Amino acid sequence: MDIDTIGDWKRTDDCGSLRRDDIGREVVLIGWVNRRRDLGKLIFIDLRDRFGLTQIVFDKESDAISHERASILRNEWVIAVKGEVTPRVAGQENPDLPTGDIEVKVNELKILNETEVPPFQVNGKIDASENLRLKYRYLELRRPALFHNLVMRHKIALSIRNFLNTEGFLEVETPFLAKSTPEGARDYLVPSRINKGSFYALPQSPQLFKQLLMMAGFDRYFQIVRCFRDEDLRADRQPEFTQVDLELAFVDEDGIMDVVEGMMVDIFSKVLGYGVSRPFSRIEYNKALDLYGSDKPDLRFGMELVDVSDLVRSSTLKAFTKVIGEGGVVKAINVKKGASFSRKELDELSSMVTDTGAKGLFWAKLRPDGWQSTLNKFVPPDSRSALEERLGAVEGDLIIFVSDMANVAGEALGRLRIEIGRRLGLVKDGTYSFVWITRFPLLEYDEDEKRYVAVHHPFTAPLEEDIPLLGERPEAVRARSYDLVLNGEEIGGGSVRIYNIGLQDQIFRILGLGNEEAKEKFGFFLEALTYGAPPHGGIALGFDRLVAIMVGAESLRDVIAFPKTQRATCAVTDAPSPVGRDQLAELGLSVL
RNA sequence: GGGGACGUAGUUCAGCUCUGGUUAGAACGCCGGCCUGUCACGCCGGAGGUCGCGGGUUCGAGUCCCGUCGUCCCCGCCA
């Protein structure tokens, strides 16, 4: 095969831009062969680049040489053509293509590259296995769907930068070669050659650096920044991911939420043309668990959890009375028009409940002739009508009960709520519902480590009114923290920070961090607190997740150009990989 | 660390359980031929398989059993 060089040809137009107005122009197009239709003396090719498709025509009658050469072209070859933009034969326009009114009649062809048979069809509708799509990512990226996601990602990032710039934020880069600190996720470590036996850690977030920038008087900082956490992956979790990291001085919760809400409204309007209404609703953490059994509730539909313990206390059902006697609860949801659920579906829901560790589920279908339920013989009629009234249940509805300790029952019903919402199609595509979840607990007791750990991070300020509780009941202290939840997914979390050295010391002590260790791990930070630290706070938003929701992707992999597999490997390059002995020796390392 | 699903032409899948049995099929792609208005072009012909890998049961294994590797989903974990 003879391959041509491009010579002095210059591309005059991309493959998505030619229109009727261009008819008569002599153009040079370069791109990939998306599809060929060889009719014998006439060959059509859809030429593709990232901007679109343009049909080019090789006509034996008008240019026998190019036509002859074109007969060997195959999908995914790279070609350049010179030719004239002509109108398509009347009635042969293609309304599905923006360029469908015209075609380019070729009078000179250059073949710039040929190709092996690709491992999957770039132009096809069929999706190859994720395996192949990841390994040959550069081919997958030629396909419009994934490419579109990355364009959206770019647009969203651009909107964010523009918005924050207008609001007076400075983008500042912080180190990737950072210090390993206790608390939080497992670190990715980087060995130091110059200081053998010592390690950098890749940042889980720029948390301390951005607080130092506040102490430096930067006032408003942001960064769209890569973060690293060496934990197991999920569809919504990558080991390296991108945060929109913000920090502001001299603000409280309201000031921070205000900026973020403004930013979200701006992005959704500019990128999706979608109107988000402000202010976002706010629900305190405890209330969210009560009403939705989740700290990231999807508020696109209702179906709230209702405590009915008092109404069934006098029933004769042990599963209810025993749990209540032990301090548990009976909670219920009303599934509107749910009486049509089949026995099989209810069994599936029931097994979901047992999977979460809850003891099981009872249900009642509201039929015209009364309840269809095993509860009938245990719950007297007047209790039944009281339940119906509290749940707002009417004929055709389905009431689902779960009894257990409050947190277990809540979680179980919370999951049911989401699953039922999905099954009943209560969630419309293309709708977005934001909610702030506020006042998380500051600390929780870790049974494994036998100590308190920070729910958010150790620099989060406690609610002022709860500070007196720090000594006696640390777990009861609420934090000045907030998560931003979009469509039932956590897309960000932040807090007002501690800026007082005494309070920070106290928190470290409660976390079981001795003076020595605190000094060794966080000494630089504690010292910084003594040199005039301003009140400040901030938030980190999961950029990949935000993009995924906005483009409707199911996995973060679909909004990242070169993502990691679930085993945290790079399918393209095969990283991580062993390194030679020399390289290890230079670092003073050996492998166990 | 635990649970689950999947793995068969280049690709996507069927065949696999109940019931192991001649030559493992389809579509798309690929190769060759024909075709002047196609746009998922059409028509004719052809090539292409270590049934992920290893072991076991059996006269006989894509099919049953065990192990292993890979991809994905979930729990733990992810301040």
Side-chain angles (χ1 to χ4, degrees), chain A residues 347-361:
Chain A
D347 285 347
E348 284 168 9
L349 296 176
S350 184
S351 72
M352 274 186 62
V353 166
T354 30
D355 285 350
T356 61
K359 287 184 192 69
L361 152 169

Side-chain angles (χ1 to χ4, degrees), chain A residues 260-318:
Chain A
V260 173
E261 290 186 11
M263 184 170 85
M264 290 298 161
V265 168
D266 187 65
I267 301 169
F268 274 75
S269 142
K270 292 218 165 81
V271 178
L272 291 180
Y274 183 90
V276 177
S277 58
R278 288 182 69 179
F280 300 172
S281 52
R282 298 183 192 183
I283 306 178
E284 290 196 21
Y285 170 83
N286 286 328
K287 185 91 178 169
L289 291 190
D290 264 4
L291 284 180
Y292 303 102
S294 168
D295 62 1
K296 43 176 188 175
D298 190 337
L299 296 195
R300 286 175 295 179
F301 61 98
M303 209 193 295
E304 284 151 13
L305 280 55
V306 179
D307 191 328
V308 294
S309 306
D310 57 311
L311 296 180
V312 297
R313 191 184 303 276
S314 58
S315 83
T316 52
L317 184 69
K318 271 235 175 83

